[in-house]
Amino acid sequence: RDRLRSRGLGDVYKRQEDQWQARRADHLGGSDISAIFGENHFKTNLDLYYAKTGKVPAVPEEESSASRLNKLWGHISEEYVDAWLSEKYPYNDIITDTNIYAMPGRPYITANIDRMMRKPDGSYCLVEIKTTSPFNKAAWENGNIPIPYIYQVRTYMAILGVWECVVVCMFDRDTLIANTIKRDLDEEMRIIQAVSYT
């Protein structure tokens, strides 16, 4: 029974993932931006070009048991991170938002955010949630955020006009790191201009 229950939960997340992928098929989302700059570990800019233009038939990636479980863990862990954020930032409201936002004047550049936080002063802060192995912890220490995620959240801040983002990385139940990145308008302009000419 437990196995059936967990398979059912996995099926729910799989359907949600398929619907989300269909919605963003012709957009450039946050993770696509890092691929354009050659900073994505999972796809090259050529992979991205083929996927978005359809000029070469995409070869469907065979999904392994490990990749299915990794995706499921990513979804499940977000609920735990919500509770963790409520403890770490007790005066902020945590808001789940599943909308896809488009950049004004460039609707093909989109943001699909994980969470927002509303601060006591009424301002908003983005929240991006990542999960990885404890072996990758060094990349997140001392306030660091891996480059692919910097491209992602800078794009999101540009689209939404939000001035900071907290990037939370969960390594295991007891090890989470939250690093804050502030908006940089010059860097933002460099990213958006490069994406616009792509």
Side-chain angles (χ1 to χ4, degrees):
R1 258 187 213 164
D2 287 341
R3 188 174 291 166
L4 286 173
R5 271 194 209 117
S6 80
R7 183 174 295 154
L9 183 60
D11 291 343
V12 167
Y13 286 123
K14 172 78 168 89
R15 280 194 302 276
Q16 289 174 348
E17 175 79 13
D18 290 344
Q19 290 169 353
W20 177 73
Q21 291 291 355
R23 285 169 66 198
R24 65 192 294 267
D26 58 353
H27 302 156
L28 291 172
S31 60
D32 297 327
I33 304 303
S34 60
I36 289 170
F37 287 92
E39 294 288 353
N40 189 307
H41 304 301
F42 303 105
K43 60 188 164 192
T44 67
N45 47 20
L46 194 56
D47 294 332
L48 178 65
Y49 174 77
Y50 289 149
K52 298 298 180 181
T53 63
K55 291 192 185 254
V56 172
V59 178
E61 210 175 282
E62 198 169 310
E63 192 171 52
S64 67
S65 172
S67 67
R68 283 192 297 276
L69 288 171
N70 283 339
K71 284 180 185 173
L72 179 59
W73 169 241
H75 289 295
I76 292 170
S77 64
E78 286 190 11
E79 295 175 30
Y80 181 82
V81 173
D82 277 349
W84 184 85
L85 285 166
S86 295
E87 294 291 331
K88 186 167 177 65
Y89 303 96
Y91 302 107
N92 292 354
D93 294 324
I94 313 298
I95 303 161
T96 301
D97 188 340
T98 58
N99 291 303
I100 293 179
Y101 295 93
M103 177 167 281
R106 294 178 174 91
Y108 53 89
I109 305 174
T110 60
N112 181 230
I113 64 175
D114 290 332
R115 303 288 186 275
M116 291 280 271
M117 284 196 294
R118 184 171 47 238
K119 299 180 180 182
D121 65 4
S123 65
Y124 287 85
C125 172
L126 285 175
V127 178
E128 182 64 28
I129 301 169
K130 303 297 180 188
T131 56
T132 190
S133 159
F135 295 110
N136 297 325
K137 190 178 172 204
W140 292 85
E141 291 176 333
N142 303 313
N144 289 324
I145 298 170
I147 290 172
Y149 308 135
I150 291 175
Y151 278 112
Q152 180 180 6
V153 299
R154 287 211 183 284
T155 303
Y156 290 177
M157 288 189 280
I159 291 169
L160 292 162
V162 176
W163 286 87
E164 73 178 340
C165 178
V166 174
V167 185
V168 180
C169 189
M170 181 175 181
F171 303 95
D172 57 44
R173 190 197 71 172
D174 300 316
T175 313
L176 294 91
I177 293 177
N179 293 329
T180 300
I181 183 169
K182 302 282 188 182
R183 196 170 178 191
D184 179 329
L185 297 178
D186 291 332
E187 184 63 8
E188 203 171 278
M189 185 180 294
R190 181 185 75 85
I191 293 168
I192 300 309
Q193 284 180 342
V195 171
S196 300
Y197 293 121
T198 301

